[in-house]
Amino acid sequence: MGGVQMGSGRDIAAILIVSALLMLLAPLVIGTYTLTLLVIYGMLALSLGLIWGFGGILCFGQAAFFGLGAYTYAIAAINIGESTLPMILAVLVPAGFALLLGAMMFYGRLTDVYLGVITLVVTLILFRFINSTAGPQYTIGTARLGGYNGIPGFQTLNVPGDPDAYIWGDAYFYVCAVALVLVALLVTWLLRSSFGRIALGIRENETRASLMGYDVAARKTVLFAIGAGIAGLAGALFANWAEIVTPALFSLGQSAEIIIWCIVGGLGTRFGPVLGAAGLAYLKFLLGQQSVLDNTLIMGAVLVIFVLFLPRGLVPAIAALWQRATRGRGRRAASLARRRRAEVPYG
Amino acid sequence: MAEIVLETRGLTKRFGGVTASDNVDFTLRARELRCLIGPNGAGKSTFFKCVTGLHTPTTGEVYMRGQDTTGWAPHQIASLGVGIKTQVPSVMDALSVQENIWLAARRFMPVAEANRRTRDMIERLRLGALARRDLGQLAHGERQRVELGMVAVADPWLVLLDEPAAGMSAEDVERMTEILHELNQTTAIVIVEHDMQFIRAIASTVTVFHQGRVLMEDQVDKVMADATVRNVYLGKAA
């Protein structure tokens, strides 16, 4: 953002320095247990930020992939008893599911509204289905699905190859934080690659992209699956943090929250969704400790205020301010404010 | 005779009871420049859309370099090396001129070559000063020019243009004509156009459409002199 080109050496150095500083300083202010959750939500928001902000795919069911990742991890961990393979499966299963769902939607040439409806309905179906699996007949291997009770008591994250060396507490926070940094770097690299640049082109104009000879449906499907894989990883990390998975992971409230994180943080940026997620989740955490004001009321107010006064979100607004401060009265400030302008990588 | 690059046989497209394109046989050879003209509703745009894959013909076939492309999706047809420009400027507004052209080039070549070709094309279009500007900030004529650049950068062997001169200033049209002539050295071009001035300027063979059918096909001057064409197309007063 600002004057720094995405994916340049300076940009990557900035990501590494800022995240290292945050990893050092944030635990001094907020407990690592809470911080871990903020990091996980940040990753989840980034997954939607990628496909929505850069691919133009508004998915109302990102929680479905999050929940699918968490359940995949829990079920695989019970069956396997070691966490490495379950972590990998927790990425692959949601990605595979998204590949099928995406192919159906994008090759079916569904427009935005129907895409939203279908992803929403899929989330609902998963929620209802998992809720109804309380009976003992619903098992996968040795794991009982547990219905509304969820699945507790699975093997949590361990040092690869050593099931007794659990990673928990402060160490688990650093694992999650490093995972988020790696995902952010992956997203940066992806957006800088030809694939990412073409994805941006498709977001801007699907017809033109197909007249250029790009298979829009295939490319959107792949991007959708990558987003789902990231959401799945966040889900697995969440399962390890909560040490239980429940159908609430698939809830519509969860899906809506991810969308709000992206809007508040700033769509079409890499860090906006992460910031939005961490900020709002922490606000929710603080609000949860008092009973004077209703939690959802305040979250609703925050969303309304952002949509009205900072429609492009926090990060683009800060970036515009920064640009104005450093370059005097920015020539492009007016047009920047007018249009949804994403950070665009140059060759 | 040069190779046939585009051919339609009995191409028909019906929308309900309306036959927009009626049994059109059309042949275009390599490095030919052809204009499709006709009054509104003559079926030239429908014909164009059937050829480019935006519509599927009701009956009849489309062949490109001998390959049956009937019913193909636009991206499959474009992948053959066919450059397509639709009637409404279709560009990527939030991306720069450079990025727009680069994306078109990248489909057919590796990154380094796409970078080089993009630079060359921007120079050829005389858009150097605007290379980093977003398309959304450009004037209509400049946007049209960029879109033409997007079509041309990938070295197509067939270019299909729907009203490229629409809404352009005289100066823009002149530059467009120049670019098209240059392009025509290596590729066959089909232009759907209303503007007779423009058609005269590029002096090509003209196919006249009327009521979904091909009325006649000849040099532009002969077509203009033809009494029937003057009646259906230019109106009796002209």
Side-chain angles (χ1 to χ4, degrees):
Chain A
M1 274 148 275
V4 183
Q5 282 180 15
M6 180 161 67
S8 66
R10 268 174 71 196
D11 180 50
I12 289 167
I15 294 178
L16 292 176
I17 292 167
V18 170
S19 41
L21 277 176
L22 280 174
M23 268 188 257
L24 278 175
L25 299 177
L28 303 176
V29 188
I30 308 171
T32 49
Y33 184 72
T34 310
L35 271 180
T36 307
L37 184 63
L38 301 187
V39 166
I40 291 168
Y41 281 165
M43 189 186 293
L44 177 56
L46 185 56
S47 77
L48 182 65
L50 172 67
I51 65 165
W52 186 17
F54 295 101
I57 305 166
L58 174 49
C59 173
F60 272 99
Q62 204 66 7
F65 306 125
F66 182 64
L68 215 52
Y71 266 84
T72 303
Y73 177 80
I75 293 163
I78 287 176
N79 281 298
I80 295 168
E82 204 269 349
S83 68
T84 312
L85 187 59
M87 285 304 285
I88 295 168
L89 285 175
V91 175
L92 295 183
V93 170
F97 179 68
L99 217 51
L100 291 176
L101 183 67
M104 192 191 84
M105 295 190 303
F106 299 125
Y107 282 96
R109 292 188 195 176
L110 291 185
T111 50
D112 291 345
V113 180
Y114 294 100
L115 205 114
V117 171
I118 287 197
T119 50
L120 192 86
V121 168
V122 166
T123 315
L124 268 176
I125 291 172
L126 281 172
F127 178 64
R128 301 286 294 190
F129 170 71
I130 295 290
N131 247 319
S132 65
T133 56
Q137 72 272 35
Y138 293 104
T139 57
I140 297 178
T142 51
R144 271 188 59 182
L145 289 181
Y148 42 80
N149 295 313
I151 308 175
F154 44 83
Q155 168 83 14
T156 56
L157 195 68
N158 56 254
V159 175
D162 186 358
D164 294 323
Y166 291 107
I167 301 172
W168 61 283
D170 287 356
Y172 187 60
F173 162 67
Y174 291 110
V175 167
C176 289
V178 168
L180 177 59
V181 172
L182 290 178
V183 169
L185 290 176
L186 174 83
V187 167
T188 301
W189 170 79
L190 192 72
L191 291 173
R192 180 143 173 95
S193 72
S194 295
F195 177 84
R197 291 165 75 175
I198 294 160
L200 235 61
I202 291 172
R203 179 195 73 187
E204 283 306 310
N205 192 334
E206 278 190 28
T207 312
R208 184 71 255 175
S210 66
L211 290 179
M212 282 175 178
Y214 292 114
D215 188 343
V216 171
R219 284 173 178 277
K220 283 177 93 169
T221 305
V222 170
L223 185 68
F224 190 59
I226 293 172
I230 296 172
L233 176 62
L237 293 174
F238 182 87
N240 275 301
W241 175 83
E243 297 182 18
I244 184 171
V245 294
T246 63
L249 291 170
F250 294 103
S251 69
L252 290 184
Q254 179 78 63
S255 269
E257 229 167 308
I258 308 170
I259 291 172
I260 295 171
W261 294 337
C262 285
I263 293 172
V264 168
L267 210 56
T269 67
R270 285 162 296 158
F271 306 115
V274 180
L275 198 71
L280 288 182
Y282 189 58
L283 182 66
K284 198 174 170 183
F285 168 77
L286 293 178
L287 290 170
Q289 294 175 333
Q290 51 88 45
S291 52
V292 183
L293 283 164
D294 183 58
N295 206 332
T296 41
L297 200 70
I298 298 199
M299 295 308 257
V302 167
L303 178 64
V304 170
I305 287 168
F306 267 85
V307 168
L308 284 179
F309 298 108
L310 281 181
R312 292 172 57 242
L314 212 51
V315 167
I318 294 170
L321 267 180
W322 176 254
Q323 232 165 9
R324 204 179 294 184
T326 50
R327 292 183 194 170
R329 226 169 267 215
R331 286 172 287 118
R332 295 160 67 191
S335 74
L336 269 171
R338 211 169 2 93
R339 284 208 337 274
R340 174 184 62 121
R341 194 194 128 80
E343 43 179 341
V344 173
Y346 289 114
Chain B
M1 272 280 221
E3 174 199 19
I4 295 174
V5 290
L6 172 63
E7 186 179 7
T8 69
R9 291 183 203 152
L11 187 79
T12 302
K13 176 72 182 175
R14 291 190 198 94
F15 296 102
V18 182
T19 306
S21 191
D22 192 359
N23 207 19
V24 177
D25 295 322
F26 181 89
T27 308
L28 185 80
R29 294 181 183 276
R31 287 185 299 286
E32 199 177 334
L33 176 59
R34 181 81 62 89
C35 288
L36 310 184
I37 66 167
N40 283 327
K44 40 190 204 312
S45 274
T46 303
F47 174 78
F48 181 86
K49 283 177 179 154
C50 285
V51 169
T52 53
L54 294 163
H55 285 332
T56 310
T58 313
T59 56
E61 294 101 47
V62 182
Y63 296 90
M64 289 181 178
R65 277 189 168 171
Q67 167 94 48
D68 186 351
T69 62
T70 317
W72 282 26
H75 80 262
Q76 293 172 304
I77 290 173
S79 298
L80 290 175
V82 179
I84 303 165
K85 185 190 166 315
T86 53
Q87 197 167 346
V88 187
S90 180
V91 290
M92 290 145 181
D93 274 340
L95 305 185
S96 66
V97 170
Q98 186 182 287
E99 189 72 7
N100 268 277
I101 294 175
W102 184 86
L103 285 171
R106 179 68 183 88
R107 174 64 186 85
F108 297 95
M109 56 197 82
V111 172
E113 201 187 339
N115 290 345
R116 189 175 55 74
R117 288 284 195 96
T118 304
R119 271 196 304 276
D120 292 350
M121 181 51 69
I122 289 173
E123 213 167 282
R124 239 170 94 189
L125 296 169
R126 288 174 228 164
L127 286 166
L130 304 171
R132 299 239 157 186
R133 291 274 286 279
D134 290 350
L135 263 272
Q137 299 172 301
L138 265 50
H140 178 72
E142 291 163 343
R143 288 155 59 88
Q144 295 271 48
R145 220 188 313 158
V146 173
E147 201 179 3
L148 195 62
M150 291 158 80
V151 168
V153 75
D155 259 348
W157 45 265
L158 172 62
V159 169
L160 306 165
L161 307 168
D162 199 355
E163 302 205 19
M168 285 173 94
S169 69
E171 189 196 339
D172 281 331
V173 170
E174 204 172 301
R175 194 166 298 165
M176 166 86 72
T177 313
E178 216 174 281
I179 296 167
L180 286 178
H181 275 305
E182 206 177 305
L183 203 57
N184 195 211
Q185 303 298 313
T186 54
T187 169
I189 304 179
V190 176
I191 302 171
V192 175
E193 191 52 72
H194 266 307
D195 187 345
M196 291 313 299
Q197 215 70 17
F198 179 68
I199 292 168
R200 279 220 172 84
I202 57 176
S204 76
T205 315
V206 172
T207 302
V208 186
F209 278 73
H210 182 52
Q211 291 176 347
R213 297 174 192 210
V214 175
L215 187 68
M216 75 176 286
E217 202 167 272
D218 213 328
Q219 288 300 313
V220 62
D221 296 327
K222 286 184 188 156
V223 167
M224 288 300 103
D226 186 271
T228 332
V229 172
R230 295 180 77 87
N231 270 339
V232 301
Y233 184 55
L234 303 168
K236 278 161 191 145

